Amino acid sequence: MAAPKIALGTAQFGLKYGIAGLPRVSKDQVRKILSLAALNDIKVLDTAHQYGNALDILGSLSNVIVKKNFQIVLKIPEIPEKVNLWNIQDIRAQIFSDFARLKLDTIDTLMVHNPECLMRPGCDLVYDMLVNFKYLGLCQKIGVSVYDVGDFRKIISDYGFDVVSFPSNVIDHRFVNRAVDHMSALRIEMHARSVFLQGLLLLSQNEKLPKKVTWEFLRVTRRIALQFKGDMLKACLAFLRQQFPINYGVIGVHSVEQLQEIITTYNNIDSWYNFDSYSINDQKIIDPRRW
C-alpha cells in the first residue's frame, strides 16, 4: 500500500488559526502556496464555510489554479440542534452559496463538519440532503469529520460515507489502533487531520502551552524530540508516512517556505520508526476542544 498523500488545509487562509495564533495568510501567499502544491502533486484542498473568507480567496483563484489542479473537500455549515425541513432548505441554500464563493459547479467531497448532528433528532434529513447532492452530481463523495472512535462507530453503524476525517498524530493513536482497519474493510477514504495538533507539536518546549497541556505532554514529546534529534516536524511526518491505510494527511501552512520544508522532509523520510510508546490517551491533551 502507498503512504498517505499530503492534502492542504485552508483554515489559515481565512482565519487566525493554531496554537500560535498567527495571522491569516495573504492572498498573494495563498497563490504561491497553491502553485507549489500543484507542482508537487498535492491535489486535495480541505476547506469550510467556517474558515472565514477562505472560500472567497480560493474562488478568486479558481480559474487560475484551483479548477485545474485541485479536488475540493467542503465542510457544510453548522447544523442546528433541532433539524427540520426548513433548516435543511436554509443549509442547502448556504451550500450553494459556498459553491458560488468557490466559483465551482461541482466539488469532490461534501462533508459534515460536526458529527453530533448525525446523532440528534432530524439527522436523517441531514444525511438525505448529502445523498441528494451526490445523486445530482454536485459532489462525487460524501463524508463526515469525527473526533473520537465512539462517534465514528455510532455514525457508521447507521449511515454510509465515502470519506471520514479524523485526528491522528504522533501522540494520538486512537483511530490508527482502533478504527483504521474497520474503515479499510468498508473501503472508506481516510483523511487524517491534526497532524501537527494545531501546531502544538511543533512548538519549542520553552514556548507557552495551554494550561491543560502539561507534564505528560512534555514528557512524551521530549522523548520524541530526543529520538529525532529535536526535529519534531520530521517526527510528525514520519508517523503520518507510516500509516499506509490512510489516504491523506491534511496539513496547514502559513507560507510557501513552510510548505516546501514539509514536502522536502516528507519525501526524504526513508527509515521506519516505532511510535507505539508515544501514545497519549488523555483527552485534555489530545483534543483541542478541551484546551
Side-chain angles (χ1 to χ4, degrees):
M1 298 178 71
K5 294 183 178 181
I6 291 175
L8 200 58
T10 64
Q12 291 88 341
F13 297 174
L15 298 168
K16 286 185 177 181
Y17 186 79
I19 195 71
L22 296 175
R24 64 184 181 87
V25 180
S26 70
K27 180 178 175 180
D28 182 61
Q29 193 67 207
V30 171
R31 182 186 292 106
K32 292 177 181 178
I33 289 168
L34 295 183
S35 296
L36 180 62
L39 288 172
N40 285 274
D41 202 35
I42 296 174
K43 296 186 178 298
V44 173
L45 297 181
D46 183 291
T47 194
H49 175 82
Q50 295 85 343
Y51 293 170
N53 65 340
L55 299 183
D56 302 303
I57 291 174
L58 293 175
S60 70
L61 300 172
S62 183
N63 290 330
V64 181
I65 300 175
V66 175
K67 275 186 181 179
K68 298 176 182 178
N69 297 288
F70 295 102
Q71 301 165 8
I72 299 293
V73 176
L74 175 65
K75 300 184 183 78
I76 69 174
E78 293 292 340
I79 305 292
E81 286 194 16
K82 295 182 180 180
V83 182
N84 56 45
L85 285 173
W86 300 110
N87 300 142
I88 293 297
Q89 289 182 8
D90 290 341
I91 295 163
R92 280 176 56 86
Q94 187 62 67
I95 294 171
F96 281 116
S97 174
D98 290 345
F99 274 48
R101 291 171 67 192
L102 287 165
K103 294 185 171 61
L104 295 174
D105 298 320
T106 65
I107 60 168
D108 185 73
T109 304
L110 193 61
M111 182 174 287
V112 174
H113 194 44
N114 183 356
E116 293 178 0
C117 75
L118 293 169
M119 296 180 284
R120 296 195 297 243
C123 54
D124 288 349
L125 295 174
V126 177
Y127 182 74
D128 290 346
M129 177 189 69
L130 294 175
V131 171
N132 185 248
F133 268 85
K134 183 178 175 181
Y135 175 78
L136 294 173
L138 298 169
C139 64
Q140 300 300 310
K141 292 170 279 191
I142 58 173
V144 59
S145 179
V146 295
Y147 293 89
D148 60 61
V149 175
D151 286 350
F152 161 71
R153 288 179 175 161
K154 289 176 186 175
I155 290 169
I156 216 67
S157 66
D158 293 326
Y159 302 105
F161 283 99
D162 306 302
V163 180
V164 173
S165 168
F166 54 88
S168 181
N169 56 61
V170 67
I171 64 171
D172 184 354
H173 303 182
R174 293 170 296 163
F175 281 87
V176 168
N177 291 339
R178 297 165 49 205
V180 161
D181 288 345
H182 189 181
M183 292 187 212
S184 292
L186 295 173
R187 298 185 178 182
I188 291 172
E189 183 175 301
M190 291 174 256
H191 293 203
R193 66 178 192 276
S194 289
V195 173
F196 305 135
L197 196 54
Q198 293 194 9
L200 182 66
L201 291 166
L202 303 182
L203 288 182
S204 162
Q205 298 284 322
N206 297 322
E207 294 183 77
K208 187 175 181 180
L209 302 173
K211 291 181 180 178
K212 293 182 180 179
V213 180
T214 53
W215 179 80
E216 186 176 9
F217 174 84
L218 293 172
R219 177 181 64 83
V220 173
T221 54
R222 281 170 181 162
R223 289 174 52 222
I224 298 170
L226 184 63
Q227 179 179 355
F228 285 85
K229 299 179 180 178
D231 192 345
M232 287 298 291
L233 177 64
K234 181 178 179 180
C236 293
L237 294 175
F239 178 81
L240 172 65
R241 191 178 173 99
Q242 290 180 195
Q243 310 311 316
F244 294 113
I246 293 174
N247 301 94
Y248 294 97
V250 183
I251 59 98
V253 298
H254 283 88
S255 69
V256 69
E257 291 81 11
Q258 282 184 354
L259 180 58
Q260 183 61 70
E261 183 182 11
I262 287 168
I263 292 168
T264 301
T265 302
Y266 189 82
N267 289 337
N268 287 330
I269 293 169
D270 56 5
S271 299
W272 183 269
Y273 301 93
N274 188 340
F275 293 97
D276 292 347
S277 66
Y278 301 142
S279 178
I280 295 177
N281 294 313
D282 187 343
Q283 298 283 313
K284 294 191 297 294
I285 296 174
I286 60 177
D287 187 344
R289 297 175 303 170
R290 307 196 184 193
W291 292 352

